[in-house]
Amino acid sequence: MSDPTAFLAGQQYVELTTFRRNGTAVPSPVWIAPDGEDLLVVTVDETGKTKRLAHTSRVELRPCDVRGTVAEGAPRFAATATVHRDKAAVARVKRAIGAKYGWWYRALTTVEPALDRLPGRRKRAAIVLRDVVPLG
């Protein structure tokens, strides 16, 4: 595969696997969008994904369906992930996801500004994926 980043960017859903301190893999289906050389994922901050990425930047990626089901023989990739919480990074990932997923993403996020003002509402975070390489 000549460009693993482009391949993953073209997928509707990707299984993002993060790792616990003991090495246990924890997969999550996510939307993913390209932006330059990076792949971007938007998530709620202070979730398991962001907590696990605080201690290891290693992730694995595989194409999947909306439920996270990975087809037999699907290619697997390794990447380096960083979590960004600043407004500019979150805006960047929202733009990229919105551009890729269009009306579906906009429909899901229409009420987000109002919800963000509610007490206890968790903020969004941007996950930036780089250095994508195929695994075995």
Side-chain angles (χ1 to χ4, degrees):
M1 175 169 312
S2 62
D3 187 354
T5 300
F7 173 78
L8 288 167
Q11 303 301 307
Q12 187 72 16
Y13 299 96
V14 172
E15 178 189 75
L16 172 69
T17 301
T18 55
F19 296 89
R20 293 186 176 135
R21 290 182 193 275
N22 67 5
T24 302
V26 182
S28 304
V30 297
W31 279 351
I32 193 166
D35 187 42
E37 298 288 317
D38 299 332
L39 291 172
L40 306 176
V41 173
V42 66
T43 189
V44 174
D45 199 7
E46 297 302 319
T47 59
K49 284 189 289 287
T50 59
K51 290 176 183 177
R52 289 185 291 276
L53 289 171
H55 67 81
T56 181
S57 62
R58 178 175 72 102
V59 297
E60 291 183 7
L61 305 156
R62 296 188 301 176
C64 69
D65 67 16
V66 66
R67 292 183 184 95
T69 304
V70 176
E72 187 174 328
R76 194 168 54 125
F77 303 88
T80 302
T82 54
V83 177
H84 302 266
R85 294 173 172 90
D86 59 282
K87 287 184 181 185
V90 173
R92 174 187 179 210
V93 72
K94 285 181 176 183
R95 274 191 310 276
I97 296 286
K100 179 176 177 182
Y101 293 94
W103 71 269
W104 180 240
Y105 179 73
R106 286 190 299 278
L108 290 174
T109 59
T110 299
V111 297
E112 194 169 274
L115 293 174
D116 283 345
R117 292 190 290 273
L118 294 175
R121 170 84 169 165
R122 295 189 299 181
K123 300 295 182 189
R124 300 284 181 216
I127 299 175
V128 178
L129 304 165
R130 293 189 172 132
D131 305 322
V132 179
V133 296
L135 290 173

